[in-house]
Amino acid sequence: MSKFEGVLVGMGNPLLDISAEVGQDFLDKYDVKLDSAILAEEKHQPLFKELVEKYNPKYIAGGATQNTIRVAQWMIQKPGQTAFMGCVGSDDYAKTLEECATKDGVLAHYMKDTSVPTGTCAALIHEGERSLVTNLDAANNFKASHLETEKAKEIIASAKVYYSAGFFLTVSVESLVKVCEEFLATKKTFCLNLSAPFIVDFFGDQLSTAMEYADFLFGNESEAAAYGKKNGLGEDIKEIAKAVAALPKKDASRPRTVVFTQGSQSTVVACNGTVTEYPVELLPKDQLVDTNGAGDAFVGGFLS
């Protein structure tokens, strides 16, 4: 394998998206509501096998952080500029996941856990809307020991920007801090995403730890509102952004930039006590396929 000389590394939860068009009868059979996102229960397990055997699905390298890295690689338009690390199983899904990432130009340096299967996400498409059913499995098992591999050291040494979605805070804060400390020492850039209201509500300590390193923080309006409510910052998105930008930072010499998207409404950017709004060009409804992964893609474009 050639030496990695890229600029961007992501660390997060790799999931193989298994995407297919299905009928309402399929959703009803597995008690899945349209336009929902859930973690798979026991009753959903046969769903994945049936989807593969009967619906000719597409396989896509997924998971929030990996989505962002793939988009960034596509936007950069120069081969070998991005890498991703996360935990997968030792199975056919892991091979497919690596093949998908490699095809997209991303160096996938996965940790392999032989005791559990690779994480998957069934993307059930019906009448233009998606329902997501997720098995995290191996994605939950990433360990800081993987960062001691020679390839991981090579990736971290070369990269100028490190990005993680907030979902990774439920997996290995130790790994995140280890990379952040190395980036801090060399004045490289760390970017973090709030990712979901439940991260703010139930993983506040982990989020606070990561926030101290964050040079850029991303989130959407619901995540920003959750952060404001949880931390007594009020309900005004602009004021919340300004307050988050001013939170304590390991490297106080470099101000934090906070970017909050609001769907079709203006994007709010706060830095150094100043808030700027950027209007969003409204996309005609007939051109809208679905909004799944829109936030991941936005950050990918930003990072590129």
Side-chain angles (χ1 to χ4, degrees):
M1 185 181 292
S2 60
K3 184 179 180 181
F4 179 76
E5 297 180 332
V7 295
L8 173 63
V9 59
M11 195 157 61
N13 303 338
L15 302 171
L16 181 64
D17 288 351
I18 307 172
S19 177
E21 294 269 356
V22 300
Q24 185 61 47
D25 57 333
F26 187 92
L27 298 176
D28 292 342
K29 178 179 179 179
Y30 292 104
D31 192 25
V32 176
K33 292 182 173 59
L34 199 59
D35 197 29
S36 66
I38 61 174
L39 292 177
E41 301 173 30
E42 191 64 34
K43 65 183 179 182
H44 299 120
Q45 296 309 319
L47 176 157
F48 294 87
K49 188 171 187 292
E50 183 174 348
L51 200 63
V52 170
E53 292 180 348
K54 297 182 180 180
Y55 287 86
N56 191 30
K58 294 179 181 177
Y59 295 92
I60 307 164
T65 301
Q66 191 163 228
N67 285 342
T68 291
I69 299 301
R70 288 172 54 234
V71 171
Q73 176 61 55
W74 177 72
M75 292 285 289
I76 292 170
Q77 293 289 297
K78 182 181 178 182
Q81 292 303 294
T82 64
F84 174 81
M85 291 186 284
C87 188
V88 298
S90 183
D91 51 26
D92 288 341
Y93 280 171
K95 293 176 184 176
T96 302
L97 191 55
E98 188 163 8
E99 287 169 1
C100 287
T102 302
K103 183 179 179 182
D104 289 335
V106 177
L107 170 60
H109 180 50
Y110 297 130
M111 177 180 177
K112 303 285 178 68
D113 187 331
T114 60
S115 66
V116 285
T118 297
T120 53
C121 178
L124 311 175
I125 304 170
H126 180 64
E127 296 181 349
E129 294 194 55
R130 268 187 187 173
S131 298
L132 305 176
V133 184
T134 300
N135 266 329
L136 287 175
D137 289 322
N140 265 331
N141 293 351
F142 189 86
K143 301 291 188 297
S145 58
H146 187 66
L147 301 176
E148 298 302 322
T149 63
E150 289 306 312
K151 181 55 69 174
K153 291 178 180 178
E154 180 183 293
I155 290 169
I156 294 167
S158 176
K160 302 297 186 290
V161 178
Y162 162 40
Y163 173 73
S164 267
F167 297 119
F168 192 63
L169 295 173
T170 72
V171 175
S172 182
V173 175
E174 179 188 359
S175 299
L176 182 144
V177 168
K178 181 175 175 59
V179 178
C180 283
E181 282 290 339
E182 292 193 35
F183 270 49
L184 178 66
T186 51
K187 290 194 176 295
K188 296 180 181 181
T189 301
F190 171 53
C191 304
L192 177 68
N193 202 315
L194 293 177
S195 293
F198 84 84
I199 298 294
V200 174
D201 291 335
F202 301 111
F203 295 89
D205 290 344
Q206 294 90 329
L207 181 58
S208 294
T209 296
M211 187 74 77
E212 288 190 304
Y213 295 98
D215 298 298
F216 288 84
L217 178 78
F218 299 93
N220 63 26
E221 70 273 32
S222 63
E223 295 151 11
Y227 195 94
K229 182 179 180 180
K230 177 80 172 180
N231 295 281
L233 301 177
E235 299 180 356
D236 187 301
I237 296 296
K238 289 182 283 188
E239 291 303 315
I240 296 169
K242 189 190 297 184
V244 174
L247 289 173
K249 195 168 179 289
K250 290 281 187 178
D251 184 355
S253 69
R254 300 199 299 171
R256 179 184 297 111
T257 299
V258 174
V259 182
F260 287 151
T261 59
Q262 302 183 92
S264 61
Q265 303 302 309
S266 61
T267 294
V268 173
V269 179
C271 184
N272 265 338
T274 300
V275 178
T276 308
E277 291 188 76
Y278 295 89
V280 174
E281 184 177 340
L282 191 64
L283 187 71
K285 286 188 176 180
D286 61 349
Q287 294 183 29
L288 182 63
V289 177
D290 65 66
T291 59
N292 187 54
D296 300 337
F298 173 90
V299 178
F302 190 103
L303 295 180
S304 68

